[in-house]
Every structure is written in C-alpha cells, then in structure tokens.
Amino acid sequence: LAMMAWILLSACQFCLPGFSQDAASQRDLDSETIGKLILQLHAEKSRERQRAKRQLVEAGAAAIKPLVEAIQVDDRDRQMREMAVLAVLAISRDKDIADRARESMRALTRSDNSTVAGLAITTLRRLGSSMEQSAIRELTELGARFDGGTNATSNRNEKRYYTVIFGRDFKGQASDLSLLLWIENPTNITVIGPKFNDQVIEAVAQHPTISYLRFQDASLTDDGLKPLLQMSRLGTLEFLYCDIGDESLATLSQLRNMRIIRLYGTEVTEQAADEMRDAVSFWVDYHYGAFMGVNFDRDNDELIITRVVPGSGAEQAGIRSGDVLVQFEDKQIKRPRDFNGTISRNRPGDEVTVVIRRDGVLETKAVTLGKFPDRY
C-alpha cells in the first residue's frame, strides 16, 4: 500500500493546475540523454530526482520504451520510481502518449518477472480508480452533472456513472471532455450550448461505452461529425438546433448499430432526411424543432394531458393538466403520433391554434411554440 501511495502521489503531482503534459510541452531528447535521466531518477538528492522525472515526462513517447526496459532489470526501489514516470505518461492529455504508455504497462503485466508483473497490475488498477475519482471531481467542479447508477459486479455493489450532462453553465472547454476517458462506464452524454464545437465530437468518440449522445445548440460542422464513425456502441444520436446540413448525412448514414437519429431544428432539409430514411436500416426522426410543452397519457383512447412543462407555450396559453387535446390547427388529434407528426412541421416561434376539452367544454387556445428545453 505504501508503494502504491508513493507511485500515485508521484503521478498526481503532474496532474495539478499549471502542469500540462501534451504535445506542446514535449522535448526532443535522444536515447542517450533519456538513459542518463533514468539513472538520475535514483540520485541521492530529491531535487535531482524531481528534475529528472519532469524532463522524462516532457520527453513524452520517446521515454516510454527506455523506461519499460529499465523497469524489467532494475531492483524494486528503482522500479517504483520508473513506474511512477510511466504512470504520469499514462494519464497524459495527449491521447497517443497515454495510449502507448498504458499499452506498455499492460505488456508489463505479462512479464515473466512476477515482481514487475505485480507492480504493473497494481499500478494500472489503482491508477484507474484514482484517476476516475479525480476526473469526476474535476468535471463536477467545472459544472458537469453526473447521474449515477449501481450494478452488481463480482458479488459487490459498485457505482457506475451512466449519464453525464455538460450544460450551458459548464465552465471548462470542449477539450476537457477528454477526462471522460478515465470514467469507467459513461453510456449517456448530453452536450448543450454553443461553446461546444467539433472538439467535443473528438473527445467523446474516444470512449467505447457511449451508447447515447445528445447535442443541443452546439457549434458543430458537417465534417466534424466523422469521428462518430469510431463509436461502435452508439445507438441513439440526437441533434437539436445544431447547424449541421445535408452534407452531414453522408457520415451519419455510415453509423453502425444505430437505432435512431433525431434531427430537430437543424439545417438538414426534409428531402435529404427522407432520402436518408430510405437508404438506412435505422429510424430517422426529422422535426422542424417546435415544442408545445405537453405530455399525454398514452394508455388512453384520447389525448389527456398529464403534464404541462413550466414556462412552455402551452402553460402560457392557459392549458392545464387534465385537459384533452382535440385539434391542432385544422387537424383532428386522437393519438400521440398524430400530434407528433403534425407539430413536427412547425418551427419555434410559430403561433398555432389548438382546441382542448375541459370539463366537457371545448375551448380554443392560441399557443406560441418554442424550443425543446435543455432538459426535457
């Protein structure tokens, strides 16, 4: 335990504000210099050891192979210091460096040297748990919201984070979403607001467990969607009020294992959406983006309103829970799909006339339609 605490503490020193191990901070060092720095990790003076550690981290990918070679031949105390540097590289914001360092550590778990294998296994396990907690804490401090779930694993309850919401109040940048890589099982991701651009696509596409993605008012481009093709488990994809257009459908049509794509209030034309629907096996839900703000009892023969969303056009028009929706504009409405199909042709800001029945009396209401709220 003391050994692991030392390694994790050493790694976390490089995770503090002010230190960023990325491509911009790397130094080009030759193999001879890197070899000397590895030797200096074991210098008598702490200052020299810390300087060598920092320079090896700054060397990036070039330091990984020499560190692995040293770990396999040195004694236990030296292995700990060398493994600590490898652990720092494994949590780099540079994905290539992090991937190579982690793969090297996984290779060490298969070493014939049981001491080396045990050290690598324990470091990876503890580092992953520690970094998950750190990533959740950092993202929460930046304004992300986590909705957790619990499932049984190995006869014990372990908390898993299923849904992560990055809202308009998120204080970080799109690049901060790369911290999701350290969270074991995020399956649902919602991203809201114009500050999120194509970088967010690159960040979430790296995570293998995500099955649901929702982008609302995000500043995305057609070309920026291409990393989504890496996401083999993605089954539901929603775009609300994003400026993606017809050219984006060439990418979206290639998504594997997709069940439904929703295009609400985008720049995609209805004709292009219809053509895509005919060409793919999943459902394409195309909608101009209007939102009235009512929920219905779907188990009834008529459209009884069970909820009116606060602040919605329906509430402002005086519609209440318990009212029965009878007519939308000039169309009689009997089933939820009738309502959904009709309102899908309206845009936010449209004023429509609806007829409701309240206590047996028909009433006509003028409703100004709005946008889907951030969390509906």
Side-chain angles (χ1 to χ4, degrees):
L1 291 177
M3 173 191 69
M4 284 311 308
W6 188 89
I7 290 177
L8 293 177
L9 178 61
S10 298
C12 289
Q13 288 175 350
F14 291 87
C15 305
L16 297 174
F19 180 82
S20 175
Q21 205 290 310
D22 54 25
S25 66
Q26 291 175 43
R27 299 175 58 186
D28 292 328
L29 300 178
D30 57 38
S31 58
E32 182 178 355
T33 301
I34 290 174
K36 291 179 179 178
L37 288 172
I38 292 175
L39 290 175
Q40 290 174 18
L41 284 175
H42 319 299
E44 291 186 6
K45 294 183 178 179
S46 175
R47 182 178 299 177
E48 293 180 12
R49 295 197 299 269
Q50 290 298 323
R51 185 186 302 116
K53 185 189 301 181
R54 183 170 292 275
Q55 290 177 349
L56 284 168
V57 170
E58 291 175 349
I64 294 174
K65 184 178 179 181
L67 283 166
V68 170
E69 292 173 348
I71 287 170
Q72 296 184 85
V73 298
D74 281 339
D75 60 39
R76 189 173 181 80
D77 288 341
R78 289 172 176 257
Q79 289 169 344
M80 286 173 54
R81 296 191 180 103
E82 292 151 1
M83 187 67 76
V85 179
L86 202 56
V88 176
L89 295 172
I91 59 176
S92 170
R93 292 289 183 92
D94 185 304
K95 184 177 183 297
D96 181 61
I97 293 174
D99 286 348
R100 292 172 66 176
R102 292 175 205 164
E103 182 55 39
S104 295
M105 293 174 76
R106 284 191 286 269
L108 286 173
T109 67
R110 301 186 292 272
S111 172
D112 293 335
N113 185 323
S114 60
T115 300
V116 171
L119 179 62
I121 290 170
T122 307
T123 302
L124 278 171
R125 184 180 299 128
R126 298 291 178 84
L127 186 62
S129 176
S130 174
M131 289 310 300
E132 180 180 59
Q133 295 173 24
S134 177
I136 291 171
R137 182 170 58 252
E138 183 173 344
L139 289 172
T140 300
E141 290 174 351
L142 289 171
R145 296 189 292 277
F146 288 81
D147 291 334
T150 302
N151 68 348
T153 304
S154 301
N155 297 320
R156 62 179 179 177
N157 287 331
E158 295 184 357
K159 193 169 184 180
R160 297 289 185 264
Y161 291 92
Y162 295 110
T163 300
V164 191
I165 300 171
F166 299 91
R168 299 179 194 275
D169 55 351
F170 184 70
K171 299 185 288 293
Q173 303 300 320
S175 59
D176 289 314
L177 272 68
S178 63
L179 289 169
L180 286 171
L181 282 171
W182 284 104
I183 299 172
E184 184 177 358
N185 194 29
T187 57
N188 295 6
I189 305 293
T190 296
V191 176
I192 305 169
K195 73 182 302 179
F196 295 104
N197 53 28
D198 291 343
Q199 275 188 295
V200 74
I201 300 281
E202 297 174 4
V204 299
Q206 297 175 24
H207 210 297
T209 66
I210 295 173
S211 60
Y212 170 92
L213 273 177
R214 176 187 177 104
F215 300 99
Q216 185 162 340
D217 285 320
S219 302
L220 306 178
T221 66
D222 294 344
D223 286 341
L225 304 186
K226 292 180 179 178
L228 293 173
L229 297 176
Q230 306 170 30
M231 306 182 70
S232 60
R233 295 190 184 182
L234 186 60
T236 301
L237 181 58
E238 300 179 348
F239 297 96
L240 283 76
Y241 317 115
C242 299
D243 292 335
I244 58 171
D246 290 353
E247 292 184 7
S248 69
L249 303 189
T251 296
L252 299 181
S253 297
Q254 300 177 54
L255 290 169
R256 300 169 291 164
N257 301 321
M258 187 60 55
R259 294 186 299 275
I260 182 169
I261 289 181
R262 291 190 171 92
L263 301 167
Y264 283 23
T266 67
E267 295 299 315
V268 175
T269 62
E270 186 171 7
Q271 178 181 348
D274 287 341
E275 291 174 356
M276 178 182 176
R277 191 181 291 119
D278 292 337
V280 298
S281 59
F282 53 83
W283 177 244
V284 179
D285 184 9
Y286 183 81
H287 197 295
Y288 286 174
F291 177 78
M292 181 169 156
V294 290
N295 289 351
F296 301 107
D297 180 358
R298 295 180 177 271
D299 296 326
N300 205 291
D301 292 335
E302 51 187 2
L303 283 184
I304 300 175
I305 296 171
T306 58
R307 176 176 177 248
V308 178
V309 177
S312 66
E315 183 189 57
Q316 294 172 13
I319 295 174
R320 305 174 191 167
S321 177
D323 291 344
V324 178
L325 182 63
V326 176
Q327 184 173 320
F328 186 99
E329 290 287 80
D330 57 355
K331 184 173 182 179
Q332 297 293 313
I333 303 294
K334 297 181 179 180
R335 295 177 296 273
R337 66 182 182 183
D338 297 335
F339 173 76
N340 293 335
T342 302
I343 196 173
S344 69
R345 310 305 299 273
N346 289 96
R347 302 182 186 278
D350 288 353
E351 185 173 297
V352 297
T353 300
V354 301
V355 177
I356 63 166
R357 187 173 72 248
R358 179 183 297 167
D359 298 329
V361 179
L362 296 179
E363 298 184 20
T364 300
K365 302 286 187 180
V367 181
T368 301
L369 303 175
K371 287 186 173 183
F372 282 80
D374 291 350
R375 299 192 70 181
Y376 172 66

